[in-house]
Amino acid sequence: MMGVSQADEPIVIKFSHVVADTTPKGQGAILFKKLAEERLPGKVKVEVYPNSSLYGDGQEMDALLVGDVHLLAPSLAKFEHYQKKIQLFDLPFLFDDMAALDRFQQSPAGQELLKSMEDKGITGLGYWHNGLKQLSANKALHVPRDARGLKFRVQNSAVLDEQFKALRANPRKMAFAEMYQGLQTGVVNGAENPYSNTYSQKIHEVQKYITESNHGALDYMLITNTDFWNGLPEDIRNELTAILAEVTVEVNNHANELNERDKQSIIDAGTTEIIYLTPEEREEWRKAVRPVWEKFQDQVTPELIQAALDANTP
């Protein structure tokens, strides 16, 4: 009896991520597996590795570049070493709201960024939301001067460092997993997170105030290895592209719902006061951090910053 030819073996796609299955990203990975295996039976097999079970935050990009995994969805703040223009998403108070962010990501400029790392072997397939960031602290933050002298936990990002320096606050790089303890012990006394991260990490238990600043996006870029993606048979690649477009809509709707739900849970817990900014106060914050845009405009490009500002108008 003849052996099964190589062409009959399904293409294995390994999707690795660092969060729980229950998060929007985790749910997106599961939905992608389900739809890909239903619509391409016998042709594609998707293996999902949640919770850093295959590669952690530090190793996953290297694993993608050598082809050991095929799909990742890292935070946009992780791409500054591969493409400086992606720092745009960390620029504070650039986008007015989630609708503006969506308009920019779907625009030619936003779509162009997905393809901007192909010379380094990385192809972007879409943007997945995790939510807009809010400022939290043990002091009420109404205007920029309220943040002076506070120590804020930040991700490892040059832009986010400068954001807090512009407010005359002190940025402290700290792993996501250490944030609760850092706030509890006073090593840091402020942070920036979407409501869903604040609630899931219990940050509201150790922060008296949250200012609904919506000052930046904590989004992910779904990426693949360029050679792997371009090497797929065209019919399979086209079907996977269509599936990912569907999954992206689901992930982003889920992220928005989760943030609203978790915001309500924080309100119900009664531990934290939520401060809503007036349009005038928000403008004051934007003015205070405007020098950060100028500092990074050569790396990000003035054209891209303008395209983002244009997205604020429907």
Side-chain angles (χ1 to χ4, degrees), residues 191-206:
E192 52 164 17
N193 288 289
Y195 284 118
S196 58
N197 281 5
T198 298
Y199 189 66
S200 69
Q201 297 295 310
K202 300 183 167 56
I203 300 304
H204 62 294
E205 294 178 2
V206 286

Side-chain angles (χ1 to χ4, degrees), residues 15-18 25 60 71-75 79 128 219-223:
F15 191 155
S16 171
H17 63 81
V18 299
K25 190 198 310 195
E60 61 174 18
L71 285 177
L72 299 176
S75 157
F79 291 102
W128 284 10
D219 267 11
Y220 307 113
M221 187 187 288
L222 182 67
I223 56 170

